[in-house]
Amino acid sequence: MRDPEDDGPAVRVGEDAYGKVRLRPRPTRVRRGARARRRRLVLAGTLSSLVLAGSCASWALPTLAVRQIGSVDAGVRGSGPRGAMNILVVGVDKRDNLTRRQQNLLKLGRESGQRTDTMMIVHLSEDHRKITIVSLPRDTWVTVPGKGQHKINAAYQLGGPKLTVQTVENVTGLTINHYVEVNVLGFVDVVESLGGVSVCTPVPIEDPKTGLSLRPGTYELDGVKALAYARTRATARSDLDRIDRQQQVVSALLDRALSSGTLTNPVRLASFVNSTLKTLTVDERLAEDVLGLARQLRDVSTDDVTFASVPIADADHKSPTGESVVLWDAQAARDLFRRIAADEPLTEPSAEASAKPSVKASGGAERPASPTPTRTPLTVPPERIAVRVLNGTGITGRGAAARNDLLQAGFMVPEPAGNAATTDYDTTVIRYGPERRDSARTVAAAIPGAELLETASLGDRLEVVIGHRYSGVRKVTVEPSSPATPTPATSTPATKTATENICRD
């Protein structure tokens, strides 16, 4: 899905003739910590507030600094000092206060107005020791109260924070206790104040609109490049992939904010705090006691933050207006938000999973193995699935042949086939990260006799290890799901902790 309003910023991957994009000239050289004083346009500013909320440094914020935070009447219910609560966090894309030079430098276009480009529900457990973050796809097709059917990100433009909150409450069934809005002018500064961020992409990214060009691998990004990484949609699953990247960036920033290098460095800590606070606007009740909430979260670690995504029935549905929109899996989404409303953990094993035999997965994690594809309707078409092929037979050419078979069947295989660690694979095995289950089922349907193996260490990646019984690839067709006939829900949604999201060398 492409969106004309999704113009990307200018980015620098490595060094180039232009160096870093600067929105204000500097007469003299300054250290990195001083960059927090420069204004830079940001789309994914939502990430800043989540990092602040989870940082144990936040308890020490002085009252004077907190006064930088703006307030707004969002029509939320509020909450007591304790107990479970839901916070709606939105990143607002506002461009009309930029100079033309800034717009040209960052390649953001000249559209005026405001829209929510990133939207997350942050659920705090009753004891405030656990955080669950659910990303809402910006192209979700919903009924906006009093305005008819629109993409969910249109609610802000049509009625501001109040209508945005009402829309989210209607579609999720949750009570929103607090509202956090992030000004788009702060994300780059937040990343810079933390000394950059480490990310890893399992697939190549080529985005001519932003100039972002990355091969699969791990990268250390500065603020401008991190912005481009968090907001590009130039991969197979478009906005859904972007959600995965944003969750990865949030996790990496949270890890940096909690690190001793930030907490014990007064200059870096002050720069981080000031950069973050300048981006925030919160509801009036939260503004009265933001420090109180921050103090309650001071012991949260990356192990305590869990990310989940709304189950999707159709990621490229055509609306009556001709737009490409996202339809949720109604049954699975209801179950997800019911569990959040009940303050239930999302990582409980289902009865079905408990009944299946377990196998040892790469990285030491045990996950149920499925020898055959399930009967659940497929939801992800081959042309949106990127896989890596490994030869597990030791027979020269088998990996390359399988790669060609997958390409002919419509799958994306960006890398040449490699070799598995061992050559004794009898059955072909499809190994996938926890968030690639639906994609893995499509691959399994295309490779007769293949086994599915969830492997936690793969993250967002998907691998096909060719075995001696491999007999080729057949084409599969994925029919768009209808809202009236949603895909059956799974009892346990795909989740990942912030720790699991962090890229490791």
Side-chain angles (χ1 to χ4, degrees):
M1 295 176 292
R2 307 295 301 178
D3 194 316
E5 70 186 32
D6 191 30
D7 299 322
V11 299
R12 174 179 60 79
V13 179
E15 297 294 335
D16 61 21
Y18 297 95
K20 293 187 178 181
V21 175
R22 298 191 177 95
L23 299 187
R24 286 184 178 177
R26 295 181 300 177
T28 59
R29 293 184 59 188
V30 295
R31 292 173 297 180
R32 175 164 297 191
R35 292 174 185 157
R37 294 190 295 270
R38 300 197 310 272
R39 300 175 66 192
R40 300 177 188 237
L41 182 87
V42 181
L43 176 63
T46 300
L47 315 184
S48 311
S49 64
L50 296 179
V51 172
L52 176 63
S55 171
C56 63
S58 59
W59 67 272
L61 300 183
T63 302
L64 181 60
V66 173
R67 289 175 182 169
Q68 297 182 64
I69 301 176
S71 65
V72 65
D73 180 8
V76 292
R77 314 294 177 87
S79 65
R82 303 295 298 180
M85 69 176 67
N86 301 309
I87 304 172
L88 178 61
V89 181
V90 301
V92 179
D93 178 10
K94 183 177 181 180
R95 311 176 184 183
D96 51 3
N97 61 341
L98 296 181
T99 66
R100 177 157 302 190
R101 176 178 175 273
Q102 291 170 335
Q103 293 169 339
N104 290 337
L105 282 173
L106 296 177
K107 298 183 180 179
L108 285 162
R110 301 186 177 93
E111 295 92 341
S112 60
Q114 300 184 66
R115 57 190 66 82
T116 54
D117 196 81
T118 303
M119 189 177 295
M120 298 178 178
I121 295 175
V122 179
H123 174 79
L124 306 186
S125 63
E126 184 173 7
D127 59 6
H128 290 192
R129 294 180 180 271
K130 299 289 184 180
I131 298 177
T132 301
I133 300 173
V134 182
S135 298
L136 308 182
R138 54 170 268 175
D139 293 335
T140 298
W141 192 243
V142 299
T143 297
V144 177
K147 303 294 183 180
Q149 289 190 302
H150 297 274
K151 292 181 180 181
I152 196 169
N153 73 332
Y156 189 96
Q157 201 165 21
L158 294 171
K162 282 188 177 180
L163 189 58
T164 302
V165 169
Q166 292 173 15
T167 302
V168 171
E169 288 187 329
N170 284 1
V171 74
T172 65
L174 296 175
T175 295
I176 300 300
N177 303 105
H178 291 295
Y179 173 86
V180 175
E181 178 182 306
V182 184
N183 188 302
V184 295
L185 295 174
F187 174 68
V188 173
D189 286 337
V190 170
V191 175
E192 293 286 350
S193 71
L194 291 173
V197 64
S198 180
V199 303
C200 47
T201 174
V203 297
I205 300 176
E206 293 291 339
D207 189 352
K209 295 178 67 175
T210 66
L212 186 62
S213 177
L214 300 176
R215 294 189 58 78
T218 301
Y219 297 87
E220 187 75 15
L221 304 183
D222 63 15
V224 176
K225 288 183 288 185
L227 168 62
Y229 182 81
R231 93 184 278 273
T232 182
R233 305 208 298 180
T235 50
R237 294 168 65 242
S238 191
D239 192 47
L240 303 184
D241 280 341
R242 178 163 70 169
I243 285 175
D244 292 342
R245 284 189 291 272
Q246 289 178 351
Q247 292 180 350
Q248 182 188 124
V249 172
V250 171
S251 302
L253 288 175
L254 181 58
D255 185 51
R256 285 286 173 92
L258 293 171
S259 69
S260 59
T262 297
L263 299 180
T264 61
N265 185 321
V267 175
R268 177 169 291 181
L269 178 58
S271 179
F272 164 63
V273 169
N274 289 331
S275 297
T276 303
L277 291 178
K278 289 189 301 183
T279 72
L280 301 183
T281 299
V282 304
D283 67 90
E284 294 170 331
R285 294 191 62 177
L286 183 57
E288 294 174 357
D289 192 30
V290 67
L291 275 181
L293 177 60
R295 290 189 184 99
Q296 293 178 39
L297 298 175
R298 62 185 177 185
D299 295 324
V300 170
S301 73
T302 55
D303 290 334
D304 301 319
V305 180
T306 299
F307 292 92
S309 298
V310 179
I312 302 302
D314 188 351
D316 195 12
H317 180 76
K318 293 301 179 185
S319 72
T321 60
E323 300 173 272
S324 179
V325 299
V326 171
L327 297 182
W328 292 359
D329 180 329
Q331 180 181 342
R334 279 195 300 270
D335 183 64
L336 169 67
F337 293 117
R338 177 196 62 76
R339 295 175 67 174
I340 290 176
D343 202 29
E344 296 177 4
L346 301 183
T347 54
E348 295 176 340
S350 66
E352 178 184 3
S354 301
K356 291 181 180 180
S358 294
V359 296
K360 184 68 71 175
S362 166
E366 291 190 356
R367 292 290 185 269
S370 174
T372 56
T374 66
R375 295 180 180 272
T376 303
L378 304 177
T379 59
V380 185
E383 60 269 20
R384 296 191 175 195
I385 301 174
V387 303
R388 182 188 181 201
V389 176
L390 298 174
N391 185 357
T393 68
I395 302 174
T396 302
R398 290 297 296 273
R403 177 179 185 268
N404 185 65
D405 292 343
L406 286 164
L407 288 170
Q408 292 297 318
F411 293 91
M412 296 190 298
V413 192
E415 301 179 61
N419 293 317
T422 62
T423 59
D424 57 354
Y425 281 82
D426 185 37
T427 301
T428 295
V429 176
I430 300 166
R431 304 191 304 208
Y432 61 96
E435 296 187 3
R436 299 298 301 278
R437 184 178 296 113
D438 290 340
S439 296
R441 290 195 302 106
T442 300
V443 179
I447 303 178
E451 293 185 354
L452 288 169
L453 179 63
E454 183 177 317
T455 308
S457 62
L458 285 178
D460 293 333
R461 292 171 291 168
L462 193 156
E463 297 178 342
V464 176
V465 184
I466 303 301
H468 288 278
R469 293 189 183 183
Y470 171 77
S471 59
V473 178
R474 62 189 180 191
K475 290 191 175 183
V476 296
T477 302
V478 177
E479 296 294 336
S481 300
S482 166
T485 57
T487 305
T490 56
S491 57
T492 303
T495 61
K496 184 180 291 187
T497 67
T499 300
E500 293 170 328
N501 259 334
I502 296 168
C503 298
R504 306 296 183 189
D505 293 332

